[in-house]
Amino acid sequence: MVQMIPKKLEPVENLWQKELASAFTDPRKLLEFLEFKPEIISGTFAARKLFPMRVPVSFAQRMQKGDIHDPLLNQVLPLNAEFVDAEGFVADPLQEQGNGLKGLIHKYQSRVLLVVRGGCAVNCRYCFRRHFPYQDNQVNREGWASVIEYIQQDQAIEEVIYSGGDPLMAKDDFLAWLTQSLAAIPHVKYLRIHTRLPVVIPSRVTRSLLDWFTDARLQPIMVVHVNHSNEVDEHFAQAMRLLREAGVTLLNQGVVLKGINDSVDAQVKLSKALFDVGVLPYYLHMLDKVKGASHFLVDDEEAIAIQREVVKRLPGYLVPKLVREIGGQPGKTPLDLQLHP
């Protein structure tokens, strides 16, 4: 069980921005920090030109030094396998690009997704938006006014989801303004944030974040993104405690990834570690077939076999739903465990 931080500790404003600025962007510097042998450090990491590398020090500190198979390292290290042009892997696997109104993606009837900010605190190599044209979707205040008007006019929209990139890369004063604007719309009831920032830089959970997220009328939900139990440390536990005590519902969604968490033991340990810090497993996604990520693919048969064993070993509330997202579909598509007895 993760040891919790004493409750007397309070979040430090703006520390996260300093940590973000000091993130590793050179694979060799990261491997030096992890004390790899020179022959490993001198390898070719040309894939960083396909998708830049960014790894916060706080996340790197959770990696096992000298272990090239470390499950956290393998999520973020650029590899030549990214140059493989695999069949079925495309730049826009969920058909999100060219959505019409900048900053808004309306795929599901009762909820809309706002691309609040391009860029993340960590660049995961399997990211389904690694080719997303964030520069073409930048929104100014006038553009956000149009987004808010769109939501005002559609009374079927009950939930707004902040996404990105990572929405928590945005400044708190902007997020406070946007949240208050949404809270003024009577038919909007829920505000959900999808983020990896509190995982890789737990100090992002500041007092100002807690204030704007929980002071509004909207019911606050945060979906974090953790793929392996080694990502859950005492600092992440502290961040989750602060959010939980402020009344935020905490959920996790992960991705089943080859060589990282594609075993029954890994998934069981992950669910238990999350629950120990107050986060409920929510979704386990099949890999979105984004170009450059084919080496992470776990096939359906294997994923279903893993999930079937997880169901036997965990109570139902600790078992995330195994799903695939298909572009153009009105919701997530569950993988049916009964099809493969």
Side-chain angles (χ1 to χ4, degrees):
M1 182 179 293
V2 174
Q3 183 177 0
M4 300 294 287
I5 292 290
K7 291 192 174 184
K8 291 182 180 179
L9 291 183
E10 290 293 334
V12 178
E13 300 293 328
N14 302 322
L15 175 61
W16 71 274
Q17 293 173 318
K18 296 178 181 177
E19 294 189 55
L20 182 65
S22 64
F24 292 104
T25 57
D26 183 338
R28 293 174 181 82
K29 294 294 185 182
L30 173 61
L31 294 177
E32 287 176 3
F33 174 80
L34 295 173
E35 300 178 5
F36 276 89
K37 295 179 180 180
E39 57 266 29
I40 299 293
I41 295 173
S42 62
T44 301
F45 302 103
R48 63 187 291 204
K49 296 180 181 178
L50 298 175
F51 186 42
M53 191 192 89
R54 177 182 276 174
V55 183
V57 174
S58 58
F59 192 63
Q61 288 172 335
R62 290 169 245 178
M63 299 174 185
Q64 296 296 315
K65 292 188 175 181
D67 182 2
I68 197 62
H69 301 296
D70 180 84
L72 277 59
L73 175 63
N74 285 342
Q75 294 181 55
V76 298
L77 186 66
L79 299 176
N80 288 338
E82 296 176 42
F83 287 98
V84 174
D85 191 9
E87 183 178 357
F89 284 75
V90 297
D92 185 16
L94 302 187
Q95 302 174 19
E96 293 182 329
Q97 299 175 23
N99 56 77
L101 188 60
K102 283 186 177 182
L104 182 143
I105 299 174
H106 194 176
K107 295 191 290 186
Y108 307 135
Q109 181 178 357
S110 65
R111 52 205 183 276
V112 293
L113 184 148
L114 305 188
V115 182
V116 174
R117 179 69 183 270
C120 294
V122 63
N123 284 350
C124 302
R125 310 310 298 179
Y126 54 86
C127 179
F128 70 95
R129 290 195 183 128
R130 58 182 284 168
H131 304 293
F132 191 86
Y134 291 112
Q135 67 279 3
D136 298 331
N137 281 270
Q138 294 180 358
V139 185
N140 56 24
R141 284 293 178 111
E142 183 177 342
W144 284 119
S146 298
V147 168
I148 292 166
E149 183 179 2
Y150 177 96
I151 297 170
Q152 286 174 330
Q153 292 176 351
D154 189 342
Q155 296 196 10
I157 298 172
E158 293 185 325
E159 182 175 29
V160 176
I161 303 168
Y162 289 174
S163 186
D166 195 308
L168 294 187
M169 292 281 280
K171 294 181 179 179
D172 282 322
D173 58 352
F174 166 74
L175 291 167
W177 170 81
L178 183 60
T179 300
Q180 289 297 330
S181 299
L182 294 169
I185 304 174
H187 55 266
V188 176
K189 300 178 181 178
Y190 313 106
L191 175 61
R192 191 193 328 171
I193 297 177
H194 283 215
T195 179
R196 192 143 161 78
L197 231 164
V199 181
V200 299
I201 304 180
S203 61
R204 178 60 184 96
V205 180
T206 60
R207 181 57 54 193
S208 57
L209 183 154
L210 295 170
D211 287 346
W212 64 256
F213 192 26
T214 61
D215 284 352
R217 173 187 59 82
L218 305 175
Q219 185 169 336
I221 304 145
M222 181 175 286
V223 182
V224 293
H225 180 179
V226 181
N227 293 313
H228 195 277
S229 58
N230 290 0
E231 298 176 45
V232 180
D233 69 351
E234 65 272 18
H235 302 292
F236 175 68
Q238 177 197 4
M240 295 303 99
R241 175 183 62 78
L242 292 169
L243 287 159
R244 194 172 63 252
E245 290 180 350
V248 179
T249 298
L250 297 173
L251 306 171
N252 182 69
Q253 62 177 6
V255 182
V256 57
L257 300 165
K258 186 176 182 179
I260 293 171
N261 60 12
D262 55 336
S263 72
V264 177
D265 284 346
Q267 290 297 330
V268 168
K269 286 181 67 176
L270 173 59
S271 285
K272 289 181 176 180
L274 288 167
F275 194 66
D276 283 347
V277 298
V279 180
L280 197 64
Y282 174 43
Y283 279 138
L284 178 61
H285 286 264
M286 297 299 294
L287 180 73
D288 295 313
K289 291 187 175 181
V290 65
K291 186 176 182 180
S294 61
H295 55 294
F296 289 110
L297 181 66
V298 176
D299 65 36
D300 288 8
E301 293 284 344
E302 184 177 356
I304 289 170
I306 291 170
Q307 187 76 344
R308 198 183 305 120
E309 292 302 312
V310 170
V311 169
K312 294 178 184 178
R313 291 175 54 177
L314 290 176
Y317 57 85
L318 289 187
V319 180
K321 298 175 185 175
L322 181 63
V323 297
R324 171 178 285 114
E325 187 159 5
I326 301 173
Q329 293 299 307
K332 305 289 191 299
T333 301
L335 270 69
D336 192 341
L337 306 189
Q338 297 304 317
L339 294 178
H340 305 270

